[in-house]
Amino acid sequence: MKSALVAFAAIAVALLDGASAIPHSPVVQRLLALKANSAKAGKQLETRASPSFPQYNFTQPLDHFEDTGVTFEQRYWVSTRHYVPGGPIVVFDGGEASAEERLPILDTGIVDILTNATGGLGIILEHRYYGASVGVTNFTTDNLRWLNNDQALEDSAVFMTNVQIPGISENITAPGRPWIYYGGSYAGARSAIMKVRYPDIVYGAIASSGVAHATLRDWRYYDIIRQFAPAACMAQVEQAIVEVDNLVAEDATRAKVQALFGLPNVTHVQDFVATLVIPLEFWQDINWDPSISDSTVADFCDALGSPDNKTVKTAQGLTVSSATAKYATYISEQWASSCTPPSTQDDCFGTFNASSYQVYDLQQTWRLWQFQVCTQWAFFTTPPPDPATPRIISRLITEEYSSLICKLAYPPGEFFQVPSTPNITDVNKYGGYNIAADRLAIIDGQWDPWRGDCPHSPAAKPRADTTTRPFKLLSEAIHHYDENGLSNHSAEPPVIQTIHAQEVAFVKAWLAEFEAPGSA
């Protein structure tokens, strides 16, 4: 375990550089597990966090529904730079990460934009178990049992109805004051669910790329990438993946193709083909702001070049398409080469060894969102169910393989056992694709691989876009594109300037209708 951490320092830097949401690939999950506490994680906080907003703590019970006698301090940060007494409160849900990573949103992003327009108070609220908002001594299966939808939703509701901000004497709690709840990705789903579950507490909500529809087989994730990533590149990937699947299906050629990709000693073929997915994981981290955007996919596509009819005779004795040969060179040079002794390739790329996951201390933050996936959210990677649909991932990446980490990483505890199948009903009971409420805005990106789980999914029904129920799909946008902003908003792309102006307009319209309970 320690040797793998050392061997994969370079990969840790690449994976943690701006990643905005949990990856789909089991191998990437494995790599994150191995290096969850790399120096890069701390460096990212140091370079992106703003020191100008005070941090406070709000005491929460570890269990809202049964008295354990245990509490934890939930962190939150406050911006009063635009606050006018009596103004609204805009709260940003920190989601599945340390909320310190979200502080730029309080400075130049959507929270600053909305509070500036409304005289509001801005808050970043950290999610239980993430960052320093932790009430347990380690992350064993038993100690993770309070990390679930009901407990986390109740945290936000209790906070909104009880918080007293130091230095602000007036009562800002809901429902006496209008609270606007914003979240992106998982937190976007939470934002929508908060509005549906607590309509009297949450006056308005914005769900950006909100993955409100949990699914066991999340095949649309990579299919959306296939449709919207550069066409020439995706054609190369499609050709290579089909060819690799055919080669690994035969005993005589499996070892040769693994050697071609620089991965001859990966024991399980599923781990080998899953490694090929790694560069595609970074599509969701492309952003309109070049300072936080990731270039991995662009570099990968440059390496693959354009389709042609050429074949290559390899040193392993294979004759493969140039697409497969170029793909193999990229994986070998960019990923396989980073796995060096004493680590084995199974240490680096394997997912079948249960002992690799059996470290439970508080540094193992990879265990948190993965636990939520295994218990309630799922989103397991699979290829398209229709064999006629083109695919850019191997047919060997099945639901069984993608969910294997759930069985290996979370052995049954004394008080809690991870279910054999995630209880996605706990998510979808709030509406799933059809989640809706007055003063709930749905904002999605056309090119977002997570859109398959959002209300703008190809599987969802169309709906009207109104001021009361905004429903906006951002052209050529990827993951929660409206979340961040620049200090000079006129320098933002037109699509971002437009959606920010629209958000200001409908939030102002909502606020104009606000009446505090008992004020009529």
Side-chain angles (χ1 to χ4, degrees):
M1 185 71 175
K2 289 183 180 179
S3 62
L5 282 166
V6 173
F8 269 88
I11 291 183
V13 170
L15 288 171
L16 293 169
D17 190 13
S20 62
I22 205 71
H24 259 211
S25 165
V27 168
V28 175
Q29 292 167 355
R30 163 79 170 133
L31 296 176
L32 288 173
L34 288 172
K35 302 151 312 294
N37 308 295
S38 74
K40 176 61 179 179
K43 181 180 178 182
Q44 186 178 44
L45 295 183
E46 179 184 345
T47 57
R48 295 191 64 192
S50 169
S52 60
F53 303 105
Q55 175 199 313
Y56 303 112
N57 294 321
F58 182 85
T59 302
Q60 294 276 15
L62 182 61
D63 191 330
H64 286 280
F65 310 107
E66 182 176 340
D67 185 10
T68 64
V70 179
T71 61
F72 70 95
E73 298 304 307
Q74 185 176 26
R75 296 194 299 178
Y76 66 100
W77 291 259
V78 177
S79 172
T80 59
R81 62 167 57 154
H82 304 300
Y83 183 58
V84 176
I89 293 84
V90 180
V91 60
F92 183 98
D93 190 310
E96 75 287 14
S98 167
E100 287 184 87
E101 296 180 26
R102 317 303 194 191
L103 291 184
I105 308 302
L106 203 58
D107 188 30
T108 60
I110 189 62
V111 176
D112 186 70
I113 292 167
L114 292 177
T115 55
N116 185 33
T118 62
L121 183 74
I123 296 176
I124 301 286
L125 182 64
E126 191 163 69
H127 193 293
R128 64 167 45 213
Y129 281 81
Y130 293 93
S133 298
V134 181
V136 294
T137 57
N138 56 48
F139 293 147
T140 62
T141 303
D142 274 343
N143 276 350
L144 290 174
R145 69 186 185 274
W146 297 284
L147 177 55
N148 60 54
N149 294 342
D150 286 342
Q151 297 287 357
L153 292 166
E154 195 69 10
D155 283 341
S156 293
V158 169
F159 177 85
M160 295 168 69
T161 53
N162 290 277
V163 68
Q164 293 180 329
I165 305 294
I168 296 179
S169 58
E170 59 183 319
N171 184 354
I172 65 164
T173 58
R177 293 283 285 278
W179 282 67
I180 306 298
Y181 203 104
Y182 182 102
S185 193
Y186 160 63
R190 280 176 46 78
S191 181
I193 292 170
M194 283 293 298
K195 179 57 186 167
V196 171
R197 179 164 169 160
Y198 304 101
D200 297 329
I201 296 174
V202 178
Y203 181 69
I206 301 174
S208 180
S209 297
V211 289
H213 176 81
T215 180
L216 295 176
R217 298 181 179 181
D218 198 11
W219 65 272
R220 292 188 187 276
Y221 182 93
Y222 288 105
D223 194 58
I224 288 175
I225 298 175
R226 178 188 64 81
Q227 293 178 53
F228 295 108
C233 181
M234 292 302 98
Q236 293 285 78
V237 174
E238 287 177 35
Q239 182 177 4
I241 291 298
V242 170
E243 189 168 19
V244 167
D245 272 357
N246 291 336
L247 290 169
V248 298
E250 301 294 332
D251 291 341
T253 51
R254 175 188 158 187
K256 293 179 180 180
V257 73
Q258 287 195 211
L260 175 64
F261 279 79
L263 298 166
N265 298 315
V266 174
T267 300
H268 296 275
V269 66
Q270 298 98 322
D271 287 337
F272 164 63
V273 295
T275 303
L276 276 56
V277 173
I278 291 175
L280 301 174
E281 289 285 331
F282 295 90
W283 176 260
Q284 69 182 33
D285 296 319
I286 299 172
N287 193 272
W288 60 265
D289 180 355
S291 71
I292 62 172
S293 188
D294 189 277
S295 64
T296 300
V297 174
D299 296 339
F300 171 61
C301 288
D302 285 345
L304 263 56
S306 298
D308 56 42
N309 295 318
K310 297 178 181 179
T311 58
V312 175
K313 182 75 172 180
T314 76
Q316 293 77 23
L318 297 172
T319 299
V320 297
S321 67
S322 64
T324 296
K326 291 175 182 178
Y327 206 140
T329 297
Y330 176 86
I331 293 295
S332 179
E333 292 180 353
Q334 299 298 320
W335 297 97
S337 64
S338 297
C339 186
T340 57
S343 295
T344 68
Q345 290 194 328
D346 279 342
D347 289 335
C348 302
F349 299 106
T351 62
F352 284 79
N353 184 358
S355 64
S356 299
Y357 304 106
Q358 307 311 314
V359 181
Y360 311 117
D361 62 69
L362 296 183
Q363 301 303 310
Q364 308 307 311
T365 54
W366 66 271
R367 295 180 63 80
L368 301 177
W369 173 245
Q370 188 61 56
F371 180 83
Q372 293 184 258
V373 164
C374 293
T375 52
Q376 294 179 305
W377 292 84
F379 299 135
F380 298 131
T381 301
T382 63
D386 183 353
T389 301
R391 55 188 172 83
I392 57 173
I393 67 170
S394 170
R395 63 189 172 210
L396 300 179
I397 302 177
T398 61
E399 179 188 346
E400 180 182 10
Y401 172 68
S402 295
S403 63
L404 179 64
I405 192 172
C406 298
K407 300 175 179 63
L408 299 181
Y410 305 101
E414 181 181 355
F415 304 104
F416 185 83
Q417 182 170 336
V418 170
S420 57
T421 302
N423 184 8
I424 60 175
T425 300
D426 281 348
V427 178
N428 296 333
K429 66 184 179 184
Y430 295 104
Y433 291 138
N434 301 314
I435 194 166
D438 288 350
R439 298 186 302 279
L440 168 58
I442 303 295
I443 315 290
D444 293 320
Q446 180 190 19
W447 292 3
D448 186 356
W450 289 101
R451 180 164 62 88
D453 307 305
C454 300
H456 278 97
S457 170
K461 297 178 181 179
R463 56 174 107 170
D465 172 25
T466 67
T467 299
T468 303
R469 296 187 175 192
F471 191 68
K472 301 184 183 295
L473 183 65
L474 307 187
S475 177
E476 300 184 6
I478 304 184
H479 207 41
H480 44 75
Y481 252 35
D482 63 311
E483 186 174 284
N484 58 302
L486 304 179
S487 56
N488 176 12
H489 295 302
S490 66
E492 296 165 359
V495 66
I496 301 303
Q497 293 187 53
T498 297
I499 188 58
H500 285 165
Q502 291 173 340
E503 287 170 314
V504 166
F506 64 65
V507 168
K508 280 186 170 181
W510 295 349
L511 294 173
E513 300 175 350
F514 176 75
E515 293 184 4
S519 63

